[in-house]
Each structure stands twice: as C-alpha cells, then as structure tokens.
C-alpha cells in the first residue's frame, strides 16, 4: 500500500520558537490516524501545515501527498486547487468557521460549485444529498437557515458536509467534538467515521482524549512539545507504551470508577527554555544523563518511539 | 455553626421561570415563561460531595445561581442550613464567607490589574480572617496549599498558565475559610495532566478541610473521582440521583445510561448515540421530557410526566420504566396522579 500522505522531518519555526521539530509521519489510504498530546504539542500545527495555512511561519521538510508531490514546494495556486478537493479540514468551533452572514445553503452550495464545477441546480441537489448524508433532517428547509439558527451539533454537521462535498482523499478534523455535549460528540464522531469510510477517505483526527482516540482511530501518534514521541497501531501504543510520556498521558485519563490518579509534576517547558536533549527530560521519571545531552531519534518499525530509556 | 444538624443546602420543589420574548416575534412585548428549573429537590449534607451532571440547557448553571442566592426561585424553597438562601445572603457576610465559589472562567474571575498576592489578600481583609500583620504569611500559606510557589504572589494573572490560574481561583475561594465549595466546571478545558493535578488537589483539600463540595461537571469520570453523590439533570429536572458508584454502575434512568455509554472508554466501540438533540425548553414534549429521545419509550411516557421517586438505597429516579430495578417502577408516580 502506498502512503497517501508522507511527512518527512517537518520542522516549523515561529520566530525563535521551534514549534514542530522533525516530525515524521505517514497516513495510508483510508486510514484514520489520531494526533494526541497536550496544548502546545503541535497537533494543530501539523494539520494546519498540511493545508499550508501556517502563514508567516518558517517551514522545512517534506509533506508528500500521493499524486501531488511535495505540498511545501507547490505554488499557491496549485495548493488552492487541492484544498477542499483532495484535502479538507474541519475545526473545533464550527460556529466560527461558518460565515455568519450567509445561509448554510449558500455556503454549502458554493463549496459544491467550486469544488465539483456543477451548475446551480445540480449543486443544490447535491447539497441536499450531502445534508441528508450528514443526518440533517428536512434539508431543504435548513438550506435557508443562518449558522446561528443551528445548534453546535448541527453546525458541525454542516461543516462535515462542506468538507466532504468533493470526496477528498484526506479529511483533517481538528478537535471536531470538544465544544459539543457528550451525546452529540458521539453522534459527530460516528458520522465522520462513517462518511470518510463510505468515501474511502483517510482521516487525521486531532484529539486530546486518548480514550476517544483508541475508539476512533487505527493508529495513534503521540506528540510532546513539538516532537513525535511515539507512534504506532492504537493498541500497541496504548497497551504497550514504550515512551514514558505516553504512559503518563494514559495514566491521567479519568474513566468512570477511577480511584487513584497519579498526577504528573510540572508543566511542558516553554519555547524559551526548551531542553537541548529530549524535550521530556524535565518531567521524565526515567531520565538519564544522556537524555539531557542528546535528543533521541524516532526509531522502530510500525510501532516507533523516541526514547533513550524506554519502558 | 448554627443549625449544624440541618443540611447545608436543601431545595424543595424549586422552580425557576424566566420570562422571555415569545419565540418568532421580534418586536412584540408578549412573553412566555421558560422553565429553567422545574421541581428540583436536592439535599446536600455537611461534608458531602455532590456532582451535578448534565448537558447544555439542563439547568446546572441556574441551579448554581439559586444555591448561591444570586437568583431567587420562582416557586419552592431553597434553604441554606434551614434558612432561605436569599435571606441568608442578605443577612450579613456569614453566607458569603461560608459558601465559596470557583468559576468556570478562572482567568475572567480574577482582576488582571491585581497581583496574585493582592487578589488573595482581598478576601482575607474583607472577612477579617487574620489581623493585617499576618496577611502576607497567610497569602503564602494559601499559595503553598494549592501547590504554587510563594513568589507567585508578586505576579499578575497574565503571567500564569491556565492550570496555575485555576489554582489561584481555588486559593482565593479557600481564603475566607469556607465550609462549602461550589465549583462550576473547575477542571474543564484543561490538558489531562493539569486536570489530574487539580483533581488530586481538590480531593486532598476536601479531605483535609472537610469541605462540602458541589461540583458541576459534564464529565462522568470527574464526577466519579471526586464526588460521593451524583445528580443527573435533563431539561431543568433532576432525572436521577444517588451514590455516584451505584448510579454509574447500574443507571436506572435511560438518560443516565446514555450519558454513561457516550463517555469515551478505551477500545470500546463507540456506543450508539442518542438520537436528536435536547429540545427547546420553550417547546417541551408532552409527558416525560426525555420521551422524544428515549430508547425505551412506551405509550404512557407521552402522557404522564414522571417525578423523582425512590428507587433503592439512597437512589431516586424520574422514569416510568427505569432500567434494571423493577421495584422502582412500582413506586414511581406521575404528576398527574
């Protein structure tokens, strides 16, 4: 199986801060991959870099999309042609992503027309079909609604419809459910999984919830302070974690009936005083002298990790 | 403390109705009543810990405002140690000193122009907790208690991280030496490691100081870690209440069961979610409010509105056909009875 997306040594600098450091990751056709980690880990930065929407940041490395070459080397007009057609993105706050002054119908139909080149009537029919697919009842009436007239869950459904309008190869979902109530969250995650599967599309979920990642994704990539620390099949990463950070992150997850919580000490180091060696060294229970001096490389096959003293 | 034998909070059939403009009309003056709380019964004893769980629109925040005396109930009684809450609040600073609040938006609750030291000294002076000369030492003590370095006193809220700001909010709430702590989503929106740190802090404080805790959360994991009792709310009603472990181990209300199933759990298939969304409180379904989304709905659910009735050891449920507890259905009544 050739990889749909292959990221090699992606580094992003914003001023003096290195917000992504030599990130390497691969997404197969139709695969669902979770990027997990805490704030500042670089999860959203990876998704934004794939869409090439990072703006002023300095970027190096390669992001190769099958059939399109290195996205970082493309001209902007070629990139515009990929966005919405082969790559789509949905965001945490659907209410902010939708334009408040236009009806959802107008926004959905314009996405369909732009990305599929349909005429007005055909685009409207396709829009209604999409709204039905994402579980919006009475789609014809909802086309004339403004975003504020819809609930958060409905807004996110509209976003999914817009993102999937042109049957993209890869959907980037940046915390698509963290602003929603739990019963609605389950609806949206199931919807995204079902719709991407029906289209054979791959999906990168940016998540902070490890348990949800294990439920929704084939593979999990754990990030810490801008680096990939562990990556592999969901079960291997979570049940046989080799990196101390992955273990720590998992131990913080509260499930129903959790009695003892081992709260880790300290916080993520700031970009001003990032350790020279392993970035996790300041909080690691297994830290050794070597960790302070040298950054560990990400090594291993399907299940890889970056640690000098793995569990 | 007077009336120590009375529950700290007791709500008897509390209703809160807000008058809102009639839907669909933009300029008219006609209003309709929106029942944000409807027939809420609740009792919180000294030293108890209660989690209020529900989704948006369930009435959690309104209930909190009633508990704090910020809103008077439209009907029913809201009591604090046997006295009406509004009266207790108006009658001097004892209530404000005894019942402390941690707000959801911790950063917004702290004046950005005051240092952490000044923010913590304010309640100490307001309630004359310690003599002026000891304020500095007490501020230091409070910071240590919530796990912040003493030099944080000289800093401004903007210089602190999200987790640290929450710790300051907790320290400030504890400054007046309250016996009751009311917290609104005090750990939501934080990274899991920060959340874990704060939760263990809260549990430690609760045990050390014997605090009564009312904790609003949408996270059942948080509720089960921190609180002995739980009350599940749906559309202004408490639909199920009881000991957290028992309720979550075997929910009696189908809504509780759905919430439990929707909570992410490692490697479990994502549960079949509830259909639809919470209806508008202005357009309540006839009969049981949950009937439109309930997987166990039966004919009589559309006709009669169940109230909270006893269902076993310390538990109550408002359902005509509760799960796995046959004795409950015999006891359950309806408002039409």
């Amino acid at each position: 199986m050739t990889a749909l997306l292959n990221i090699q040594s992606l580094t992003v600098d914003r001023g003096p801060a290195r917000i992504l450091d030599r990130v390497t990751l691969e997404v197969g056709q139709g695969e669902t991959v979770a990027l997990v980690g805490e704030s500042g880990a670089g999860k959203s930065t990876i998704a934004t870099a794939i869409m090439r929407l990072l703006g002023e940041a300095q970027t190096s490395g390669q992001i190769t999309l099958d059939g399109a070459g290195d996205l970082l080397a493309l001209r902007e007009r070629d990139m515009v042609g990929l966005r919405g057609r082969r790559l789509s993105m949905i965001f945490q706050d659907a209410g902010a992503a939708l334009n408040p002054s236009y009806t959802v119908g107008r926004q959905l139909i314009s996405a369909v027309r732009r990305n599929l080149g349909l005429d007005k009537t055909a685009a409207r029919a396709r829009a209604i079909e999409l709204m039905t697919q994402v579980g919006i009842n009475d789609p014809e009436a909802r086309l004339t609604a403004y975003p504020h007239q819809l609930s958060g869950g409905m807004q996110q459904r509209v976003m999914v419809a817009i993102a999937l309008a042109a049957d993209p190869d890869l959907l980037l979902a940046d915390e698509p459910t963290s602003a929603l109530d739990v019963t609605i969250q389950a609806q949206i995650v199931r919807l995204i999984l079902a719709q991407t599967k029906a289209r054979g599309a791959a999906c990168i979920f940016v998540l902070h919830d490890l348990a949800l990642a294990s439920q929704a994704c084939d593979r999990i990539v754990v990030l810490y302070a801008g680096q990939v620390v562990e990556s592999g099949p969901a079960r291997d990463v979570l049940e046989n974690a080799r990196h101390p950070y992955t273990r720590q992150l998992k131990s913080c997850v509260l499930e129903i009936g959790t009695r003892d919580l081992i709260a880790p000490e300290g916080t993520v180091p700031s970009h001003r005083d990032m350790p020279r060696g392993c970035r996790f060294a300041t909080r690691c229970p297994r830290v050794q002298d070597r960790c302070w001096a040298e950054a560990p490389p990400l090594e291993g096959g399907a299940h890889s990790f970056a640690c000098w003293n793995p569990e | 403390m007077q009336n120590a034998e009375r529950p700290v909070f007791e709500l008897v059939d509390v209703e809160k109705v807000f008058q809102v403009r009639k839907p669909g009309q933009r300029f008219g003056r006609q209003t309709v009543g929106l029942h944000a709380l409807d027939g809420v019964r609740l009792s919180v004893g000294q030293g108890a810990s209660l989690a209020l769980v529900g989704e948006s629109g369930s009435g959690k925040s309104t209930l909190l405002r009633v508990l704090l005396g910020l809103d008077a109930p439209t009907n029913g009684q809201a009591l604090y140690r046997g006295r009406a809450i509004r009266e207790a609040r108006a009658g001097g600073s004892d209530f404000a000193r005894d019942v402390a609040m941690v707000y959801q938006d911790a950063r917004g609750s702290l004046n950005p122009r005051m240092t952490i030291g000044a923010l913590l000294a304010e309640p100490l002076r307001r309630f004359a907790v310690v003599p002026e000369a000891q304020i500095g030492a007490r501020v230091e003590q409070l910071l240590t208690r919530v796990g912040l370095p003493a030099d944080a006193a000289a800093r401004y809220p903007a210089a602190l991280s999200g987790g640290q700001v929450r710790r300051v909010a907790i320290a400030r709430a504890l400054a007046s030496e309250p016996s009751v702590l009311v917290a609104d989503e005090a750990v939501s929106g934080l990274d899991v490691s920060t959340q874990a740190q704060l939760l263990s802090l809260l549990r430690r404080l609760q045990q050390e100081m014997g605090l009564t805790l009312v904790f609003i959360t949408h996270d059942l994991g948080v509720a089960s870690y921190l609180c002995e009792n739980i009350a599940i709310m749906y559309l202004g009603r408490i639909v199920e209440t009881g000991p957290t472990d028992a309720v979550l181990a075997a929910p009696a209300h189908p809504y509780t069961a759905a919430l439990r199933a929707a909570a992410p759990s490692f490697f479990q298939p994502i549960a079949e979610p509830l259909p639809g969304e919470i209806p508008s409180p202005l357009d309540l379904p006839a009969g049981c409010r949950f009937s439109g989304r309930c997987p166990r709905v039966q004919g009589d659910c559309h006709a009669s509105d169940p109230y909270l009735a006893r269902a076993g050891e310390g538990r109550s449920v408002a359902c005509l056909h509760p799960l796995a507890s046959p004795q409950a259905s015999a006891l359950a009544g309806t408002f039409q009875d």
Side-chain angles (χ1 to χ4, degrees), chain A residues 38-39 151 181 187 259 264, chain B residues 56 191 193 197 203 274 277:
Chain A
E38 302 181 90
S39 26
S151 66
D181 281 323
Q187 291 176 357
R259 278 288 159 268
Chain B
S56 0
D191 282 325
S193 65
Q197 290 169 355
R203 184 144 91 173
L274 280 178
E277 305 194 353

Side-chain angles (χ1 to χ4, degrees), chain B residues 47-59:
Chain B
S49 50
L50 172 74
L52 287 173
V53 177
E55 298 181 280
S56 0
S58 61

Side-chain angles (χ1 to χ4, degrees), chain A residues 8-23:
Chain A
Q8 285 297 329
S9 204
L10 174 65
T11 297
V12 174
D13 294 293
R14 222 183 258 286
R18 174 146 295 189
I19 51 181
L20 278 188
D21 187 33
R22 287 163 296 149
V23 165

Side-chain angles (χ1 to χ4, degrees), chain A residues 37-40 43 151-154 157 180-187 189-190 193 208-212 214-216 234-236 238-239 248-250 252-268 283, chain B residues 26 54-57 60 161 164 190-200 203 218-226 245 248-249 255 258-278 293:
Chain A
E38 302 181 90
S39 26
K43 314 178 294 273
S151 66
M154 281 298 154
R157 286 174 192 271
L180 303 173
D181 281 323
V182 280
T183 58
I184 309 298
Q185 175 175 327
Q187 291 176 357
V189 172
R190 281 174 69 112
L193 290 175
H208 65 273
D209 188 328
L210 271 188
L212 183 60
S214 78
Q215 292 179 298
R235 213 167 262 280
D236 293 346
L238 291 178
E239 289 186 346
Q248 196 178 83
L249 198 59
K250 191 175 172 222
C252 291
V253 175
L254 267 183
E255 287 192 286
I256 291 166
T258 301
R259 278 288 159 268
D260 299 303
L261 197 56
I262 308 131
E265 296 290 316
T267 50
V268 182
R283 302 174 78 187
Chain B
R26 223 160 274 184
E55 298 181 280
S56 0
K60 297 177 304 219
S161 70
Q164 289 172 321
L190 294 172
D191 282 325
V192 281
S193 65
T194 316
Q195 174 177 293
Q197 290 169 355
L198 280 176
L199 284 174
S200 25
R203 184 144 91 173
H218 64 275
D219 187 329
L220 292 178
V222 170
S224 94
Y225 177 76
L226 210 53
D245 289 339
L248 294 182
Y255 179 63
L259 275 185
R260 199 191 176 310
S265 178
F266 282 107
F267 298 109
Q268 298 300 308
I270 300 174
E272 185 70 46
L274 280 178
E277 305 194 353
I278 300 184
R293 301 175 78 192

Side-chain angles (χ1 to χ4, degrees), chain B residues 11 49 78 85 107 207 247 267 299:
Chain B
L11 302 186
S49 50
I85 292 178
R107 202 178 285 279
Q207 281 162 358
V247 169
F267 298 109

Side-chain angles (χ1 to χ4, degrees), chain B residues 91-205:
Chain B
S93 60
D94 287 359
F95 179 82
R97 183 170 172 177
D98 191 45
V99 180
M101 168 81 191
V102 180
Y103 295 89
Q104 176 166 16
D105 179 5
R107 202 178 285 279
S109 75
L110 302 175
N111 186 337
R113 291 171 188 276
M114 288 167 79
T115 62
I116 304 306
L119 283 163
L120 294 179
E122 198 177 37
L124 294 177
R125 286 205 183 91
R126 168 73 180 76
F127 298 114
V129 179
V130 289
E132 187 65 32
Q134 292 170 28
I135 282 182
R138 180 55 71 92
V139 164
E140 209 164 294
Q141 226 176 50
L142 284 167
L143 287 171
T144 317
R145 179 171 270 170
V146 298
L148 285 173
D151 63 10
R155 296 159 81 181
Y156 287 90
L160 303 182
S161 70
Q164 289 172 321
V165 163
R166 307 260 179 150
R167 287 174 194 262
V168 173
I170 293 170
R172 193 170 142 92
L174 297 178
S176 65
E177 298 175 343
S179 71
V180 185
L181 190 66
V182 179
D184 188 359
E185 298 279 12
V187 297
S188 68
L190 294 172
D191 282 325
V192 281
S193 65
T194 316
Q195 174 177 293
Q197 290 169 355
L198 280 176
L199 284 174
S200 25
L201 169 70
L202 282 167
R203 184 144 91 173
R204 204 188 72 224
L205 291 173

